[in-house]
Amino acid sequence: MKKSVLVILTFLLTFFAGISKVSGQQYKLIQQEKIAFFTKRLGLSTEEAKLFWPLYDEYQTEKDKVLSERKVTENYYITNVESLSSTELEAITDRYVEFHKKETELLEHYTNEFKKILPIEKVLKIYVTEIEFRRHLIQMVRDNKVGQGLRENR
């Protein structure tokens, strides 16, 4: 089990490290692509978009903080896995669970906020669209299209 957790964590860290190497210009293009992708998939009206994007950006900022903290813990685990005591492993495991609790609390809070500004059909679509966009972005990276005319790939 330790080995499979290590493999999964290594994959996730490698993926996020690759994304973090994206240049400022590429990041800007990816953000533009994300806005267009979400707006189209969610079918946001101009008024809905004005309310949605600031709230969604706030949600992403909060979520990124939790993921960043979790990444630090995962890196510590990966780097020190062979020398960790049972007490340390238990503390890391407890922290890992806490990160997921925080993510769940954020999801609950922001879902309630999204319900205030969007029809319920569009609220669930937010989370489905995140998954679809991640797949879209991964495919673009595979096709070496990041930063090269992103819009034509939607």
Side-chain angles (χ1 to χ4, degrees):
M1 176 149 153
K2 242 186 201 182
K3 193 169 191 152
S4 63
V5 170
L6 183 61
V7 168
I8 291 169
L9 290 175
T10 302
F11 170 77
L12 289 173
L13 292 172
T14 303
F15 174 74
F16 287 115
I19 295 290
S20 68
K21 291 178 184 172
V22 173
S23 74
Q25 180 63 22
Q26 288 172 323
Y27 179 78
K28 195 175 184 180
L29 289 170
I30 289 169
Q31 289 307 105
Q32 290 171 351
E33 179 76 5
K34 185 175 189 176
I35 290 168
F37 190 92
F38 271 64
T39 300
K40 181 179 178 184
R41 293 286 167 92
L42 295 176
L44 296 176
S45 69
T46 304
E47 285 304 310
E48 288 172 335
K50 285 180 188 175
L51 297 171
F52 172 74
W53 285 108
L55 185 60
Y56 184 78
D57 290 343
E58 183 180 302
Y59 166 61
Q60 282 300 300
T61 298
E62 293 296 318
K63 186 176 171 184
D64 288 347
K65 285 179 192 173
V66 174
L67 294 176
S68 179
E69 292 172 17
R70 187 173 84 195
K71 192 161 97 171
V72 168
T73 301
E74 291 167 347
N75 280 335
Y76 178 80
Y77 170 76
I78 290 169
T79 303
N80 300 293
V81 66
E82 300 302 324
S83 62
L84 295 172
S85 69
S86 293
T87 305
E88 290 171 310
L89 287 170
E90 185 170 348
I92 291 170
T93 301
D94 292 345
R95 277 194 65 136
Y96 191 77
V97 170
E98 282 302 313
F99 291 129
H100 283 282
K101 284 181 184 176
K102 284 181 184 179
E103 285 179 73
T104 300
E105 290 166 4
L106 283 173
L107 184 64
E108 285 181 81
H109 172 75
Y110 282 97
T111 296
N112 288 328
E113 294 301 310
F114 291 134
K115 286 178 184 179
K116 293 175 186 176
I117 63 168
L118 294 174
I120 193 64
E121 312 74 57
K122 293 183 181 183
V123 174
L124 182 57
K125 272 187 177 179
I126 295 167
Y127 308 115
V128 172
T129 301
E130 285 180 328
I131 294 165
E132 291 173 342
F133 183 73
R134 222 173 291 127
R135 287 181 185 147
H136 174 71
L137 186 58
I138 289 168
Q139 188 60 49
M140 288 172 28
V141 169
R142 284 184 185 142
D143 295 344
N144 201 23
K145 302 259 186 197
V146 174
Q148 301 175 9
L150 294 172
R151 302 237 177 253
E152 66 205 17
N153 297 308
R154 256 182 280 129

